[in-house]
Amino acid sequence: MKLIILENYAQASEWAAKYIRNRIIQFNPGLDKYFTLGLPTGSTPLGCYKKLIEYYKNGDLSFKYVKTFNMDEYVGLPRDHLESYHSFMWNNFFKHIDISPENTHILDGNAADLQAECDAFEGKIKAAGGIELFVGGIGPDGHIAFNEPGSSLVSRTRVKTLAMDTILANARFFDGDLSKVPTMALTVGVGTVMDAREVMILITGAHKAFALYKAIEEGVNHMWTVSAFQQHPSTVFVCDEDATLELKVKTVKYFKGLMLVHNKLVEPLYSMKETEAERRQAKKPYSD
């Protein structure tokens, strides 16, 4: 497990975007080998998405051979509703890059049979060869996707009732009107995300500091579902200084002391403008 501590939200977002960029380019995707990327919604990944769009527009990165799987979607919210996660992803990311619509996968919260939709989603992930890198964010109560406190740590994609804390947190997207906030969602399970070959969790802001403490310094606990990723063989937590406020000083110092090594994951920063031979000559980023 790695904990990457950056000074602020902008730096954390850029580090995460650089990591995704390097992973895609190193994978060398093509028509017979797509890179599969799990993606979150919410305010936390927006900075990362903006940097990825910038890389695409500069010609440094392409999503032509990338398949994406989103973590969740509200139940009952029209697909074209401004706050649906379909709309969120297209408005904030997909329409700005060269990804093919058929390569983007988002759960349908209006399906006639919601559990069948969830089962089909798991099948699509399996058919794509599994997820190479699953990027996620968390709520203040430590939930990953919509795996609320108390969720099974081996759960799969399913229908989930949202906790009141989550409804309150999401009310800002619905004019502060709780009656407009969906109370149910479709979500990948903790086990679904754990199956990914790599997981990167973005955690920023003082309001998520206690959740980061639970994820890093305490044991695995289904009341803090993000803590499950302590047991994943390749997890990267990316946070800003504010998110570390509940961590012990020695914990912060320990992980900051590793930054010179961990930064080798994003240095050198690869570009699709380079030839394959040039990339092979470059030093391979560090990984434990």
Side-chain angles (χ1 to χ4, degrees):
M1 183 184 72
K2 304 177 184 70
L3 176 62
I4 311 299
I5 303 172
L6 287 307
E7 186 175 345
N8 52 47
Y9 172 80
Q11 290 182 12
S13 298
E14 183 173 11
W15 197 99
K18 286 180 176 179
Y19 187 77
I20 295 169
R21 170 174 159 175
N22 271 3
R23 285 289 289 108
I24 292 173
I25 293 173
Q26 283 185 291
F27 187 81
N28 193 26
L31 190 59
D32 59 346
K33 188 178 73 167
Y34 279 77
F35 186 89
T36 48
L37 181 64
L39 294 174
T41 53
S43 56
T44 302
L46 284 175
C48 176
Y49 290 159
K50 287 178 181 177
K51 292 300 295 185
L52 290 172
I53 292 166
E54 179 185 315
Y55 298 153
Y56 161 68
K57 290 183 175 179
N58 289 341
D60 293 310
L61 184 60
S62 172
F63 295 86
K64 184 177 181 180
Y65 297 114
V66 173
K67 292 183 179 181
T68 64
F69 291 86
N70 265 79
M71 284 191 152
D72 40 33
E73 177 59 288
Y74 290 119
V75 168
L77 205 62
R79 181 173 177 154
D80 60 356
H81 189 287
L82 189 61
E83 297 303 334
S84 78
Y85 289 157
H86 277 81
S87 294
F88 178 96
M89 291 306 301
W90 282 102
N91 292 333
N92 292 294
F93 192 35
F94 293 152
K95 75 178 183 181
H96 304 287
I97 58 176
D98 62 340
I99 195 166
S100 298
E102 61 266 26
N103 290 332
T104 63
H105 302 87
I106 304 176
L107 286 153
D108 181 2
N110 294 289
D113 186 331
L114 294 176
Q115 189 53 54
E117 169 67 12
C118 293
D119 294 342
F121 197 75
E122 290 274 348
K124 290 174 184 177
I125 292 175
K126 185 176 181 179
I131 306 292
E132 280 295 323
L133 172 62
F134 221 131
V135 183
I138 66 167
D141 61 1
H143 73 258
I144 180 85
F146 276 130
N147 292 286
E148 305 282 27
S151 294
S152 166
L153 299 184
V154 295
S155 55
R156 311 304 302 186
T157 304
R158 66 205 187 286
V159 185
K160 195 76 177 72
T161 301
L162 304 185
M164 182 52 67
D165 282 350
T166 300
I167 294 172
L168 290 169
N170 289 345
R172 68 187 189 276
F173 302 120
F174 295 86
D175 304 318
D177 187 345
L178 290 180
S179 67
K180 295 180 181 178
V181 185
T183 58
M184 298 181 71
L186 304 185
T187 181
V188 295
V190 179
T192 310
V193 183
M194 285 287 287
D195 281 350
R197 284 176 273 283
E198 284 188 90
V199 178
M200 180 166 65
I201 309 295
L202 311 179
I203 306 176
T204 58
H207 63 301
K208 295 184 180 177
F210 195 69
L212 181 62
Y213 156 70
K214 287 286 187 177
I216 300 295
E217 292 190 348
E218 291 208 345
V220 176
N221 186 336
H222 71 160
M223 296 307 291
W224 297 85
T225 52
V226 68
S227 67
F229 297 99
Q230 293 177 22
Q231 296 189 316
H232 192 281
S234 185
T235 299
V236 182
F237 289 93
V238 182
C239 69
D240 60 6
E241 289 278 1
D242 285 348
T244 69
L245 293 176
E246 295 286 349
L247 297 180
K248 294 175 182 175
V249 172
K250 67 179 182 180
T251 301
V252 174
K253 289 185 72 174
Y254 170 75
F255 283 107
K256 280 189 172 182
L258 297 175
M259 282 302 294
L260 285 174
V261 177
H262 289 165
N263 275 337
K264 293 179 182 178
L265 291 166
V266 297
E267 298 169 1
L269 184 60
Y270 298 123
S271 171
M272 285 191 168
K273 294 175 183 176
E274 300 168 349
T275 66
E276 186 175 347
E278 287 174 330
R279 290 198 295 273
R280 284 176 178 171
Q281 289 175 1
K283 185 178 180 182
K284 186 179 178 180
Y286 163 80
S287 175
D288 62 12

